Amino acid sequence: MKELFDCLVIGGGVVGSAIARELARYRLKSAVLEKNLDVCYETSGRNSGVVHGGFAYDTGSLKARLCVEGNRGMQELSEELDFRFVRCGKVLVGNTPEDMESLKRTMQQGERNGVEGLELIDEQKLHELVPTVNGRFAMWSKNSGIVDPFGCTIALAENAAMNGVRYFFGREVTEIVRNGDGVYCVTASGEQFYTRWIINSAGLSCREISEMLGIHGYRVIGSKDHYIILDQRTGALLPMPVYPVPSNTYMGIHVTPTTDGNVIVGPDAEETSCFERYDVPQKNIDFLAEDASRLWPHIERKDYIRNYCGILPKWVDENGVIQDFKIEIRDELAPRAVNLVGIESPGLTAAVPIARYVLQLMQEREHFSLNPEFNGRRRGIRRFADMSDEEREEAIRKDPDYGELICRCEKVSKAEILEAIRNPLGVETMVGIKYRTRAMMGRCQGGYCQMRIEQLIEQEKKRRAEEVLYNRAGAQLLFGRVREEQA
């Protein structure tokens, strides 16, 4: 038999990486299989980056309980792992008597869920908080916030890797077989991995992995959510996320500031059976802008810098009703396998509590010894854009690469790009560097810096130009020279 792992996590998104980090607290040989070439290419990196309060979920549900717990712990987690989080609050804005009744019910549910800092506010208070919003009153959730979803996911994964968890990228699981000795053999992209425990944290592929484990019957649909990103010029106009009054199943098209000063418009929500298409039709962009402008009338086409979409895996019953998170061990069907199904929003907020819940279920069946060498702290890449003039002078004196700006829009230095290329996970795609530094995320979307970054990847990783990938296998940035150099 090949190398035997104690635990194998299938899926390296924010939840899978949070689980990996929790596993690293114990004397376990653990690994993560991720079909993509980085940890946040799907749902974990394609969302609005909101840290939810927990008032929108049914009382007693895992979504409610784990969301409230995750919200409370996000500040400490961001300080431990050095990613951006701002507890800026959030408002749900209404205008009609029906809206007021809905907000009262939402507030009562939140209070039953243990959410603190909820308050109904009048028009005057609403416009003190968000002067640019249209509305007559609101529910103010003081403890809601915004987070960098890329930074959070990468930080969890890098800290897990620093503590001994191994990440295998480009490994898509196609078969799981449990041998007679109880060991699982997992085939991923033609390679076999052996493990005593399996954790299905495959996100959009959760149903397929569940079926491979022998746990049948789950119906998972996709909710395709489209977004518009606005220029940082608009960030000063929006101090916190602004939502309409929610329906029973949908929070509505909202407007959200990011931790880096942009504004995100969206999402809408369309059911899809295709989990691999991330196109954004023009009709969706137009609808987002028109609908959200009723709430926040500062959406102008000249400020559009990019659009994107994400897909949420929603577990539904036979009537199409969205269900709670499913986190289970079915001992009679798949011993020592933790099955996670339908981990959608608020999965980003709840990622660490979900991971702790997974470990709790595992340790009800097997005792794990603590790892005395576990270090839960991690330092991210120091940003030149955030430094004072004095700090910049000192940084350049110690490392001259800080004195060369590669990305002018976001003020990203060569030193930051090089540190990102040398990341602990070994990620070397263009988008991987983008997510770690914000290079290519500015107004010009890489028009100035993209090829400079490509050249640095070539040099650092000893790659030919044609081998540098944008984000996925087969997605080369360059395919050859237009003309050969003259001798």
Side-chain angles (χ1 to χ4, degrees):
M1 182 185 294
K2 288 185 178 181
E3 184 177 14
L4 177 64
F5 291 96
D6 292 306
C7 304
L8 205 59
V9 181
I10 300 175
V14 66
V15 173
S17 292
I19 293 169
R21 181 174 182 256
E22 289 302 307
L23 290 170
R25 296 180 185 274
Y26 300 91
R27 294 180 181 271
L28 296 167
K29 188 175 184 179
S30 302
V32 177
L33 300 181
E34 169 54 54
K35 70 179 181 181
N36 294 295
L37 300 181
D38 202 354
V39 293
C40 46
Y41 281 178
E42 293 186 349
T43 307
S44 297
R46 293 175 172 270
N47 53 71
S48 55
V50 174
V51 174
H52 295 290
F55 52 78
Y57 313 107
D58 292 341
T59 300
S61 66
L62 281 177
K63 287 182 179 179
R65 177 162 65 88
L66 300 179
C67 180
V68 170
E69 183 182 339
N71 178 293
R72 290 174 179 165
M74 191 61 73
Q75 183 67 50
E76 181 180 358
L77 184 70
S78 69
E79 292 170 359
E80 286 180 349
L81 297 180
D82 195 19
F83 62 84
R84 292 190 171 194
F85 164 65
V86 182
R87 198 177 294 281
C88 56
K90 174 169 74 176
V91 286
L92 277 62
V93 179
N95 290 283
T96 67
E98 292 77 15
D99 287 344
M100 176 59 78
E101 291 306 310
S102 179
L103 289 180
K104 287 179 179 178
R105 290 192 298 270
T106 300
M107 185 167 171
Q108 289 166 358
Q109 178 170 268
E111 290 171 346
R112 289 194 300 270
N113 291 351
V115 180
E116 298 175 344
L118 299 180
E119 182 181 340
L120 288 172
I121 58 175
D122 61 17
E123 186 171 0
Q124 179 180 343
K125 181 63 177 179
L126 171 61
H127 288 104
E128 287 176 6
L129 294 173
V130 190
T132 55
V133 73
N134 285 336
R136 295 179 55 199
F137 50 81
M139 188 190 83
W140 179 21
S141 172
K142 300 175 187 177
N143 289 326
S144 295
I146 53 176
V147 68
D148 174 4
F150 310 114
C152 178
T153 305
I154 290 166
L156 287 163
E158 289 189 350
N159 190 236
M162 289 161 51
N163 284 284
V165 178
R166 291 163 63 186
Y167 273 74
F168 294 91
F169 292 110
R171 304 317 202 279
E172 183 170 5
V173 174
T174 54
E175 184 181 45
I176 300 173
V177 176
R178 186 167 178 264
N179 299 329
D181 57 2
V183 171
Y184 288 96
C185 175
V186 180
T187 302
S189 299
E191 190 174 352
Q192 291 184 324
F193 297 84
Y194 295 89
T195 182
R196 296 191 309 107
W197 280 91
I198 283 183
I199 298 99
N200 171 16
S201 184
L204 292 172
S205 301
C206 64
R207 187 192 68 83
E208 288 79 3
I209 302 300
S210 182
E211 294 281 332
M212 292 180 201
L213 288 169
I215 305 173
H216 304 290
Y218 288 111
R219 181 185 174 208
V220 177
I221 64 171
S223 176
K224 188 175 182 182
D225 302 344
H226 303 90
Y227 301 84
I228 306 168
I229 304 177
L230 303 183
D231 185 80
Q232 289 179 344
R233 183 193 73 82
T234 61
L237 301 173
L238 192 69
M240 66 180 68
V242 172
Y243 282 60
V245 174
S247 69
N248 290 332
T249 59
Y250 176 49
M251 290 299 292
I253 294 173
H254 43 273
V255 189
T256 306
T258 73
T259 57
D260 294 291
N262 299 94
V263 170
I264 295 174
V265 181
D268 53 5
E270 295 180 353
E271 185 175 330
T272 182
S273 59
C274 179
F275 293 176
E276 297 178 351
R277 285 192 59 177
Y278 291 103
D279 58 308
V280 182
Q282 184 64 47
K283 66 180 179 64
N284 294 85
I285 296 175
D286 295 340
F287 174 71
L288 287 172
E290 179 183 358
D291 190 276
S293 290
R294 299 189 185 100
L295 190 65
W296 190 70
H298 300 277
I299 301 168
E300 300 181 45
R301 189 176 295 273
K302 65 183 177 66
D303 291 319
Y304 295 8
I305 63 171
R306 196 174 182 88
N307 55 64
Y308 68 99
C309 85
I311 303 173
L312 294 174
K314 293 180 180 284
W315 168 37
V316 297
D317 66 12
E318 63 276 7
N319 298 314
V321 177
I322 299 168
Q323 302 297 294
D324 193 12
F325 293 157
K326 173 60 71 173
I327 306 173
E328 63 180 354
I329 297 179
R330 300 282 289 276
D331 295 302
E332 75 284 7
L333 297 175
R336 294 201 306 275
V338 190
N339 197 37
L340 288 79
V341 177
I343 308 298
E344 49 142 346
S345 181
L348 176 60
T349 305
V352 169
I354 289 171
R356 291 172 181 156
Y357 186 75
V358 166
L359 266 293
Q360 175 187 324
L361 292 179
M362 295 172 71
Q363 292 195 91
E364 289 172 359
R365 292 157 174 82
E366 180 178 339
H367 173 72
F368 301 144
S369 299
L370 287 171
N371 173 13
E373 298 180 357
F374 175 79
N375 178 5
R377 305 196 74 85
R378 168 259 189 195
R379 293 273 70 83
I381 298 172
R382 191 181 180 201
R383 295 190 179 191
F384 186 79
D386 295 340
M387 298 179 192
S388 66
D389 289 343
E390 293 76 13
E391 289 172 331
R392 288 174 178 175
E393 290 177 6
E394 178 66 12
I396 293 170
R397 187 184 65 78
K398 291 182 177 179
D399 182 354
D401 285 335
Y402 272 109
E404 181 180 346
L405 285 186
I406 298 296
C407 174
R408 292 179 175 176
C409 295
E410 296 293 323
K411 296 183 175 61
V412 181
S413 68
K414 181 179 178 181
E416 294 161 83
I417 300 295
L418 291 174
E419 187 174 350
I421 293 172
R422 299 162 185 164
N423 68 84
L425 297 178
V427 173
E428 56 187 61
T429 63
M430 296 290 291
V431 169
I433 307 311
K434 172 182 177 179
Y435 288 167
R436 284 161 176 78
T437 63
R438 284 194 57 81
M440 300 184 285
M441 284 191 179
R443 181 81 196 188
C444 81
Q445 289 289 292
Y448 175 78
C449 63
Q450 182 169 264
M451 294 316 301
R452 291 165 176 80
I453 295 169
E454 187 277 334
Q455 290 169 355
L456 288 173
I457 294 174
E458 281 186 49
Q459 296 165 13
E460 284 293 303
K461 296 295 183 176
K462 304 296 188 290
R463 297 283 185 265
R464 293 185 299 110
E466 295 85 352
E467 294 174 328
V468 177
L469 299 177
Y470 183 71
N471 59 351
R472 303 178 190 275
Q476 289 92 339
L477 197 67
L478 301 168
F479 288 87
R481 294 185 179 276
V482 175
R483 61 185 179 186
E484 294 297 325
E485 294 182 6
Q486 297 297 316

